[in-house]
Amino acid sequence: MITLNDTHQADLTSWVDSANVTGNGFPIQNLPFASFRRRGSGEAFRPGVGIGNQIVDLSRLYDLNLFTDKAQQALEACQGIQLNGLMALGQPYWSALRLALSQALRVGSAHEEAIRPLLVAQDEAEFITPSRIGDYTDFYISVHHATAVGKQFRPDNPLLPNYKWVPIGYHGRASSIAVSGQAFPRPVGQTKPKNEGDAPDFGPCKRLDYELELGIFVGEGNEQGQRIEIEQADKHIFGFCILNDWSARDLQAWEYVPLGPFLAKNFASTISPWIVTQEALEPFRCAFAHPADDPQPLPYLSSQANAEGGAYDIQLQVQLTTQQSRDSGQPAFTLADSNFKEAYWTAAQLITHHTVNGCNLQPGDLLGSGTLSGPDAAQAGSLLELTDAGKKPITLPWGESRSFLEDGDEIIMKAVCKKEGYPDISFGSVSGSVLKANFKTA
Amino acid sequence: MITLNDTHQADLTSWVDSANVTGNGFPIQNLPFASFRRRGSGEAFRPGVGIGNQIVDLSRLYDLNLFTDKAQQALEACQGIQLNGLMALGQPYWSALRLALSQALRVGSAHEEAIRPLLVAQDEAEFITPSRIGDYTDFYISVHHATAVGKQFRPDNPLLPNYKWVPIGYHGRASSIAVSGQAFPRPVGQTKPKNEGDAPDFGPCKRLDYELELGIFVGEGNEQGQRIEIEQADKHIFGFCILNDWSARDLQAWEYVPLGPFLAKNFASTISPWIVTQEALEPFRCAFAHPADDPQPLPYLSSQANAEGGAYDIQLQVQLTTQQSRDSGQPAFTLADSNFKEAYWTAAQLITHHTVNGCNLQPGDLLGSGTLSGPDAAQAGSLLELTDAGKKPITLPWGESRSFLEDGDEIIMKAVCKKEGYPDISFGSVSGSVLKANFKTA
């Protein structure tokens, strides 16, 4: 855990005016990271930091030599395409860079004239994944999601016996992760035959879904064979993004025994371009409230700091637009609101559990939270839950209805931290779209 | 499928004398790839090709400018640390390089004097993984393994209904894959409580196992959203290695529902340093013999070429040494022999299935076959099968016995292709060792 410091003062303002607009989400207290370039420019992608509606080009900032010591060394590590180098340096460097950026971007900074020419408007930029993601692991940390999905298979016994002991996770596909704007053809595959013993059906997925998740970017890694203790886990977390873990429910139902989801998940995953750092989220920590009648985590997953502040109050939202809604100028329809603080396991527990067997994490690796459904049925993070596995379609204000996603549908996810007397800290948003399947019928 | 060509002539011999020794395994008909440097030299790792007991340094070979056109362009792509660049070029470049190397290394080659100084003795070299592995996928293609393991859970109904339709696979961990010589501490983790409802046990794995597999290296990849048809799949396969997919059975039994194996597998995986190319294996293709009473694969997994020659006759072996056996100078004990041709699915089918939903494969990705058990119980590729889940320990010739692996145990796997009138094509071997757990008892 990082002590609240000079960069967290609620009344700091920036000479980048747009950062000071109430509710803009990228105030000087945020300073999220991305990899960007001017759209269509053919320039190299490079690390940048968001402030208001602008991006500070960290590659050019390094050349100015305004910063010193760890902050300048952190900028030196930003000379590549993505943020893996900075992530590998560790917390003291991330904090030094954050402090130097906060000071340089404040009203009254002596560096305003030097830095102003380095700003690129966010709406003129395009993005790639902020790190080169070596391995992607997806967890399952919402007990509300696990219970709701479990009920569809086992109404009387929805939660499996390991759930409240093991932060359940599995490995996902890194190659198919892209940033907001990803559009992908509806996946094709085998689905369960109607009659046992028949040949399976084969064709475009009929039950395509989204999953509302947060992603956790690993900073400093660990050596193979060496675990990360729960007290040290926070030091290995660089920051968080929004993650849409698209899921083909009918493919999944047929393929997933006995080794888990595969083609049902690996065709696409979409993340927000921005990583909000753990340090920016410090003011939004909250207690990790294990219900009193639930077992306490095993000692390797327990610490006082984790119990008192291991969770984060991050508000989440999923919205839908369709071809028809966009053609008729309708606003996006909000499918659900949820909150990261409702999760059963904390980010620190995921890091510790992932490494307890000696598995090595590397800078830039991505951990997904799993679908972040809240306790209320309306707070569900997937259509599987909201429509009760397709049995209760949702009626949309413009007259269409949805059980699962149709071609042309766009899912938009947002995340923001809000607190009385403190500027909003936004993750931006992530959108992704479903295209027609590449499939010729016979 | 590649037509047998000049490089496959059985009577070719090399001016590297050790390549001509009967049964040496690295004759001029093999020419496997690796990434190597002189042991302890601090040199950069770089691609090389094995011939006899030597390695041809491809980085230096490029500088000599002996080759032309595609063969020289292929060498140019070998200027990095690993083989991803060469893999990305595609089959015509791999074939051109193979032909040029075969001609240059033959008895009577005009290039003997130029190339001889580029040779490095294999026993003076050290290796890293031959590619930078972006994603690692593990399959489950031995019906004999799936049946044997299934019987332990469901004696009357061992095979799940999807097995004979779906090439079952799941994503594994890329970061913890290393080459032969890997030694890792026994993994620690949660295991199922003896009495339901109790807290799980926590400590070093008690049921540590190996899995005898082959690895398939992806060459040219595919664009996200574009599948690889079965007729094209071979063109995307660069070659094969040996793979030991270490498994913690007790961790797996507790964690694997509902999302599959995670900490039970991701602590370590060991591969042979050598990739035997698909082209070198052409003489060992054999029919993909689906039993007549089994369903035929769905059309997207079917082709005449795959049916007639999609499988490979590759002989496999697993051996064990222990601290005691090494101390007393005993030879390694052979636990089992098996063969890749017994698999239920072919490498081409794995490539096609993996991409049917639009998932993008990338050059250097690794696909594991899954445990390659043969039809006979003695041909099992894991201790789980050989000891009937630990119930029938194996007695070793030097007096010890094993249900699962003990600290200090070393597993050695070998693979070789043998055929009357043709030199042996060896994969070399892969060894890995179990160290004591990093675990302090309370």
Side-chain angles (χ1 to χ4, degrees):
Chain A
M1 216 162 290
I2 302 153
T3 314
L4 291 186
N5 56 44
D6 184 63
T7 69
H8 296 102
Q9 297 175 67
D11 57 356
L12 286 184
T13 53
S14 173
W15 50 260
V16 179
D17 293 335
S18 56
N20 308 322
V21 176
T22 302
N24 90 92
F26 280 26
I28 194 167
Q29 292 83 356
N30 190 347
L31 302 176
F33 286 85
S35 175
F36 80 103
R37 68 177 176 191
R38 284 182 180 78
R39 190 180 304 118
S41 67
E43 296 168 351
F45 284 96
R46 55 203 185 266
V49 156
I51 175 87
N53 59 16
Q54 303 291 312
I55 306 169
V56 182
D57 184 329
L58 296 183
S59 175
R60 293 185 58 200
L61 184 59
Y62 170 73
D63 298 336
L64 295 187
N65 229 7
L66 302 174
F67 296 174
T68 57
D69 303 327
K70 285 197 174 63
Q72 183 67 4
Q73 290 164 45
L75 283 181
E76 189 174 5
C78 293
Q79 295 309 295
I81 292 170
Q82 284 150 307
L83 289 155
N84 300 70
L86 176 62
M87 291 165 159
L89 285 182
Q91 182 65 57
Y93 292 83
W94 313 333
S95 281
L97 180 55
R98 175 179 166 86
L99 178 60
L101 284 167
S102 174
Q103 290 171 341
L105 294 168
R106 281 177 206 180
V107 167
S109 158
H111 298 320
E112 177 180 343
E113 289 312 302
I115 295 178
R116 193 176 283 282
L118 277 51
L119 297 181
V120 174
Q122 287 174 27
D123 62 11
E124 292 171 13
E126 60 185 345
F127 299 88
I128 54 171
T129 60
S131 75
R132 185 174 34 71
I133 300 167
D135 278 293
Y136 163 46
T137 304
D138 200 24
F139 285 91
Y140 195 55
I141 69 173
S142 165
V143 68
H144 309 296
H145 172 70
T147 305
V149 173
K151 260 185 196 153
Q152 299 182 3
F153 295 95
R154 299 170 302 275
D156 298 331
N157 185 24
L159 264 199
L160 292 164
N162 57 10
Y163 188 85
K164 292 189 173 177
W165 299 103
V166 181
I168 296 291
Y170 67 104
H171 289 291
R173 181 88 196 166
S175 71
S176 54
I177 301 173
V179 292
S180 187
Q182 186 176 36
F184 57 88
R186 176 178 296 273
V188 167
Q190 295 188 33
T191 51
K192 198 171 182 168
K194 276 185 203 72
N195 303 305
E196 204 176 321
D198 284 359
D201 291 329
F202 179 74
C205 163
K206 295 193 178 80
R207 294 160 73 90
L208 185 62
D209 203 354
Y210 59 85
E211 293 194 330
L212 170 64
E213 306 196 8
L214 286 183
I216 301 158
F217 278 98
V218 174
E220 218 177 334
N222 62 305
E223 290 297 316
Q224 202 167 353
Q226 299 297 322
R227 62 205 247 202
I228 298 174
E229 306 286 346
I230 185 78
E231 292 81 4
Q232 304 299 319
D234 272 348
K235 292 188 189 161
H236 294 265
I237 297 173
F238 182 76
F240 296 79
C241 69
I242 316 170
L243 165 63
N244 183 349
D245 183 33
W246 305 95
S247 297
R249 302 298 179 190
D250 44 355
L251 273 60
Q252 187 172 350
W254 176 232
E255 75 172 1
Y256 90 107
V257 285
L259 299 177
F262 179 48
L263 299 188
K265 300 273 196 178
N266 67 8
F267 54 91
S269 312
T270 320
I271 61 174
S272 59
W274 296 104
I275 306 178
V276 176
T277 63
Q278 188 175 230
E279 192 163 354
L281 295 174
E282 283 298 326
F284 302 93
R285 282 192 183 268
C286 53
F288 164 55
H290 245 358
D293 53 348
D294 277 345
Q296 286 307 297
L298 291 183
Y300 80 99
L301 294 173
S302 300
S303 78
Q304 191 181 345
N306 188 64
E308 292 175 356
Y312 294 93
D313 183 350
I314 303 175
Q315 301 179 18
L316 308 169
Q317 188 170 67
V318 192
Q319 297 181 319
L320 169 72
T321 77
T322 72
Q323 191 63 56
Q324 186 181 322
S325 80
R326 293 189 301 275
D327 289 348
S328 58
Q330 301 282 334
F333 176 74
T334 297
L335 290 161
D337 292 282
S338 183
N339 195 304
F340 187 49
K341 73 181 174 189
E342 307 288 356
Y344 198 82
W345 301 103
T346 68
Q349 286 172 323
L350 303 186
I351 295 280
T352 293
H353 182 67
H354 204 318
T355 63
V356 68
N357 68 341
C359 178
N360 55 325
L361 301 181
Q362 297 186 319
D365 284 351
L366 182 65
L367 313 185
S369 61
T371 310
L372 291 169
S373 302
D376 190 274
Q379 296 174 307
S382 69
L383 286 174
L384 184 69
E385 295 158 83
L386 287 175
T387 70
D388 195 11
K391 292 195 285 282
K392 298 173 187 163
I394 294 170
T395 303
L396 302 169
W398 52 86
E400 289 184 291
S401 72
R402 285 291 181 275
S403 300
F404 289 98
L405 296 173
E406 304 285 337
D407 295 348
D409 285 359
E410 174 198 29
I411 289 291
I412 303 160
M413 296 179 176
K414 297 177 179 172
V416 64
C417 297
K418 287 175 178 285
K419 189 175 181 165
E420 185 67 32
Y422 198 82
D424 292 358
I425 300 296
S426 172
F427 290 69
S429 69
V430 57
S431 89
S433 306
V434 183
L435 306 174
K436 198 171 168 341
N438 288 329
F439 187 73
K440 290 175 286 241
T441 44
Chain B
M1 217 163 289
I2 301 152
T3 314
L4 291 186
N5 57 44
D6 183 64
T7 67
H8 296 102
Q9 296 174 70
D11 57 357
L12 286 184
T13 52
S14 173
W15 51 258
V16 180
D17 292 336
S18 56
N20 308 321
V21 176
T22 302
N24 88 93
F26 280 25
I28 193 167
Q29 292 82 356
N30 190 347
L31 303 176
F33 286 85
S35 174
F36 80 103
R37 67 178 176 191
R38 283 182 180 78
R39 191 180 304 118
S41 66
E43 297 169 349
F45 284 97
R46 54 204 185 265
V49 156
I51 176 86
N53 59 17
Q54 303 291 312
I55 306 169
V56 182
D57 184 329
L58 297 182
S59 174
R60 292 184 59 200
L61 184 58
Y62 170 74
D63 298 335
L64 295 185
N65 227 6
L66 302 174
F67 296 174
T68 56
D69 302 327
K70 285 197 174 64
Q72 184 67 4
Q73 290 164 46
L75 283 182
E76 188 175 4
C78 292
Q79 295 309 295
I81 292 171
Q82 285 150 308
L83 289 155
N84 301 68
L86 175 63
M87 291 165 159
L89 285 181
Q91 181 67 56
Y93 292 82
W94 313 333
S95 281
L97 179 56
R98 176 178 165 89
L99 178 59
L101 284 167
S102 173
Q103 290 171 338
L105 293 168
R106 280 176 206 180
V107 168
S109 159
H111 298 318
E112 176 179 344
E113 289 313 302
I115 294 178
R116 193 176 285 282
L118 275 52
L119 298 179
V120 174
Q122 287 174 26
D123 64 9
E124 292 171 12
E126 59 185 344
F127 300 88
I128 54 171
T129 59
S131 76
R132 184 174 35 72
I133 300 167
D135 279 292
Y136 162 48
T137 303
D138 200 24
F139 284 92
Y140 195 56
I141 69 173
S142 165
V143 68
H144 311 296
H145 171 69
T147 304
V149 172
K151 259 185 196 151
Q152 298 182 2
F153 294 94
R154 300 170 300 276
D156 298 329
N157 185 25
L159 263 199
L160 292 166
N162 58 10
Y163 188 85
K164 292 189 172 176
W165 298 103
V166 181
I168 297 288
Y170 66 104
H171 290 291
R173 181 90 196 164
S175 71
S176 54
I177 301 173
V179 292
S180 187
Q182 185 176 35
F184 57 89
R186 174 179 297 274
V188 168
Q190 295 188 32
T191 52
K192 197 171 182 168
K194 279 187 201 69
N195 303 306
E196 203 175 321
D198 283 1
D201 290 329
F202 181 74
C205 163
K206 294 192 176 83
R207 295 160 74 90
L208 185 62
D209 203 354
Y210 59 84
E211 292 195 330
L212 170 64
E213 305 196 10
L214 286 183
I216 302 158
F217 278 98
V218 174
E220 217 176 335
N222 63 304
E223 289 297 316
Q224 201 166 353
Q226 300 297 322
R227 62 206 248 200
I228 298 173
E229 305 286 346
I230 185 80
E231 292 81 4
Q232 304 300 319
D234 272 349
K235 291 188 189 161
H236 294 265
I237 297 173
F238 182 77
F240 296 79
C241 68
I242 315 170
L243 166 63
N244 183 349
D245 182 34
W246 304 95
S247 298
R249 303 298 181 190
D250 44 357
L251 273 58
Q252 188 172 349
W254 175 232
E255 75 172 1
Y256 91 107
V257 283
L259 299 177
F262 179 49
L263 299 188
K265 299 274 194 177
N266 67 8
F267 53 92
S269 311
T270 320
I271 60 175
S272 59
W274 296 104
I275 305 179
V276 177
T277 63
Q278 187 175 230
E279 191 163 356
L281 295 174
E282 284 298 325
F284 301 93
R285 281 192 183 266
C286 53
F288 163 55
H290 245 358
D293 54 348
D294 276 345
Q296 287 308 297
L298 291 184
Y300 80 100
L301 294 173
S302 298
S303 78
Q304 191 180 343
N306 188 64
E308 292 176 357
Y312 294 93
D313 182 349
I314 304 174
Q315 300 179 20
L316 308 168
Q317 188 171 68
V318 192
Q319 297 181 319
L320 169 72
T321 79
T322 71
Q323 191 62 55
Q324 186 180 322
S325 80
R326 295 188 300 273
D327 289 349
S328 58
Q330 301 281 335
F333 175 74
T334 297
L335 289 160
D337 291 283
S338 183
N339 195 302
F340 187 49
K341 72 181 174 190
E342 307 288 356
Y344 198 83
W345 300 105
T346 67
Q349 288 172 322
L350 303 187
I351 294 280
T352 293
H353 182 66
H354 204 317
T355 63
V356 69
N357 68 342
C359 178
N360 56 325
L361 302 181
Q362 298 186 317
D365 284 350
L366 182 66
L367 313 186
S369 61
T371 310
L372 292 168
S373 301
D376 191 275
Q379 296 174 307
S382 70
L383 286 173
L384 183 71
E385 295 158 84
L386 288 174
T387 69
D388 195 10
K391 292 196 285 282
K392 299 172 185 161
I394 295 168
T395 303
L396 303 169
W398 51 87
E400 288 182 292
S401 73
R402 285 291 182 276
S403 301
F404 289 98
L405 296 172
E406 305 283 339
D407 295 348
D409 285 0
E410 175 198 29
I411 289 291
I412 302 160
M413 296 179 176
K414 297 176 180 173
V416 65
C417 297
K418 287 176 178 284
K419 188 174 181 166
E420 185 69 31
Y422 198 82
D424 292 356
I425 301 296
S426 172
F427 289 70
S429 69
V430 57
S431 91
S433 306
V434 183
L435 308 175
K436 196 169 167 344
N438 287 329
F439 187 72
K440 291 173 287 241
T441 44

